[in-house]
Amino acid sequence: MKILTITTSPYTNQTAGTSGLRRKTKIFLQKNYLENYMQAIFNTVNIKNKTLVIGGDGRFYNLHALKIIVSMGIANGAKKIYIAKNGYLSTPAASIFIRKYQIDYGVILSASHNPAGLQGDFGIKLNESNGAPVHINITNQITEHTKSIKEYLILDNLNLDVSKLNTFKVLNTSIEVFNGVIDYVAKMQEIFDFSSIKNLIATKKLQFFFNALHGITGIYAYEIFHKCFNVPMENLFNIIPQEDFGGLIADPNPTTVADFIKLVKQQPHIDLGFACDADGDRNMVFSHKYCLEPSDSIALMLEHASLVNYYKNVVGVARSKPTSYALDIVAKALGIPCYIVPTGWKFFANLLDAHKITLCGEESFGTGSYHSREKDGIWAVLYWLHILAKSNNNFDDILESYWHKYGRVFFARYDIEKIAPSVAESILQQLAINAKAKLQHTVLHNYTLTNCQQFAYHDSLTGEVINNQGLMLSFNHNAEVFIRLSGTSTEGSTIRCYVSKYSNNKEDFSIDKFQYLEKLVDTIFSLMPEVIKYTFRV
Ligand code: G16
């Protein structure tokens, strides 16, 4: 076996976004595109004599990419490479594995909730030894290396079968094909009371449907829900990972899984529905009556943390800026610090490492905790099952009594998609100008703009200041809007508009959130009239 040095030339579009490098699959299929990016990573982090774990969400091109990356890892002198069997490893399971075995780096092959397949998206995420996505400085250095790359190293003709557990050596690198489920399940058993959850299901106090949307969580759902809790197989949907996610959009939110929500509502014996995204870090929870807002989910996890032994000492919590301030309200009532960070899970990781927080969450259907340095979909489902097993109330009662106690923060996100990047930038610049002109004036429908400023994050641990993370607009009537560009879109730019309004009037609580927020949404869009031309997604 020979190590080859291959001459290459740089691509100009290898700047990573909110979470790794995410591009159309066809872009990744271009000659040396993947190889260039991986060599830029290896030039930045130098994996000589280091350990690496690799796996992903099972999407199209994963196995091919895995073989290239392992061949390059060997050629770049890695000491040991752990490969998840079949390449199957969820993002949170990768984080837990890295932490448990003190691995230097993790490569996760996933474009998260983005569609898969030749017409879909592909992505690479790099995690470091704390299990979290690498720090922004490393991402920037990788980008710099991509701009000047001239050659990459690769082992010629690696014979690799990842369908069976195995250990072997290639040149100076040990290879271990491991089961990507075992350590994850052990961690969940350490955190949650599996026998109480099993009992809850056995006594038929709670029955649920789970949908893996043909992403990676099916392999974990089978092991935990079916094998540990005896949930019937017919309650578990789309649990076999497929390269194209069976044509489904593996992105759990009320719009994309509308058919699944309808199905659950047609089953009187089913109390709850759960779904996770392709790489297993997002979750969605719903009953016949309510879809749980992620901003409420993290607030409720804090409210009921005392029911989970592992979380009996919550030191602090955090949310991303666009996430509603429901969490702040509960944290304040409990006397617990609440941190507010920019979008991107890496910002929570610093606080988790410094023991400043125990639980964290964000509006994009992600919740997580100290147990990992990634958000965790199956963990969130288990957290809810554990709460329900330990409490005397059902899901709807828990949600309603929380609103009665603290008030409800109505929240919705509007995505304006496929905008030319320069146009998106100019819409946001114009919005800032329009908003400044309207400051302290009524904009529309009795909404007066009381404050308007860019969100800058002051990292209390490192002293770093990260500017321009989005525009914050405050209105009277307890209303807030936050606007920023997405860092994960692969087709043009996406403007995300996050709208929230608080009420402590219980007559309001059962109102549909879109109806409740309608006039506020009109108000904000009146400040950026150009967006009317584009497709909206909620
Ligand atoms: C990633 C990040 C999240 C972020 C999400 C959407 O998640 O880890 O923190 O909320 O992207 O980011 P944006 O609003 O910039 O598109 P995932 O699940 O996509 O890897």
Side-chain angles (χ1 to χ4, degrees), residues 18-19 22 111-114 125 133 277 279 281-282 320 342-346 348 362-364 374-375 413 484-489 496 498:
T18 308
S19 187
R22 218 172 271 186
S112 190
H113 54 288
N114 292 24
K125 305 199 265 190
D277 75 332
D279 65 325
D281 56 7
R282 298 183 177 211
S320 66
T343 296
W345 205 262
K346 50 190 175 275
F348 292 128
E362 50 178 13
E363 52 68 42
S364 60
E374 291 276 6
K375 53 192 185 277
R413 182 177 103 187
R484 61 181 277 277
L485 284 178
S486 158
T488 58
S489 48
R496 300 209 196 284
Y498 312 84

Side-chain angles (χ1 to χ4, degrees), residues 23 105 227 256 390 483:
R23 292 286 179 270
Y105 293 102
K227 285 182 60 188
T256 44
K390 298 285 179 182
I483 299 189

Side-chain angles (χ1 to χ4, degrees), residues 25 54-66 84-91 107-112 114-118 121-123 125 162 212-220 239-247 250 277-280:
T25 308
I54 179 162
D57 63 11
R59 73 178 57 219
F60 174 75
Y61 195 52
N62 267 21
L63 282 177
H64 191 83
L66 186 145
K85 188 179 156 202
N86 294 319
Y88 290 168
L89 189 65
S90 76
T91 292
V107 174
I108 302 168
L109 305 173
S110 172
S112 190
N114 292 24
L118 189 56
D121 297 339
F122 184 76
K125 305 199 265 190
V162 295
L213 300 165
H214 285 306
I216 200 63
T217 54
I219 63 172
Y220 301 90
I239 62 165
I240 311 279
Q242 288 188 15
E243 285 202 332
D244 63 349
F245 307 147
D277 75 332
D279 65 325

Side-chain angles (χ1 to χ4, degrees), residues 5 135 179 195 203 251 291 313 331 372 405 410 476 483 502:
T5 303
H135 190 275
N179 181 324
S195 62
T203 53
D251 174 12
C291 269
N313 294 316
S372 159
K405 185 168 170 188
F410 289 83
N476 57 343
I483 299 189
Y502 173 77

Side-chain angles (χ1 to χ4, degrees), residues 465-518:
V465 179
I466 302 172
N467 288 310
N468 299 324
Q469 294 297 301
L471 189 66
M472 307 182 281
L473 301 161
S474 307
F475 294 87
N476 57 343
H477 307 301
N478 297 313
E480 282 190 0
V481 176
F482 188 73
I483 299 189
R484 61 181 277 277
L485 284 178
S486 158
T488 58
S489 48
T490 56
E491 256 186 291
S493 289
T494 297
I495 295 177
R496 300 209 196 284
C497 179
Y498 312 84
V499 183
S500 61
K501 184 175 169 185
Y502 173 77
S503 171
N504 57 6
N505 176 2
K506 46 182 184 292
E507 315 274 294
D508 291 343
F509 296 161
S510 55
I511 301 175
D512 173 76
K513 67 175 189 177
F514 294 111
Q515 190 188 331
Y516 192 78
L517 295 168
E518 199 179 355

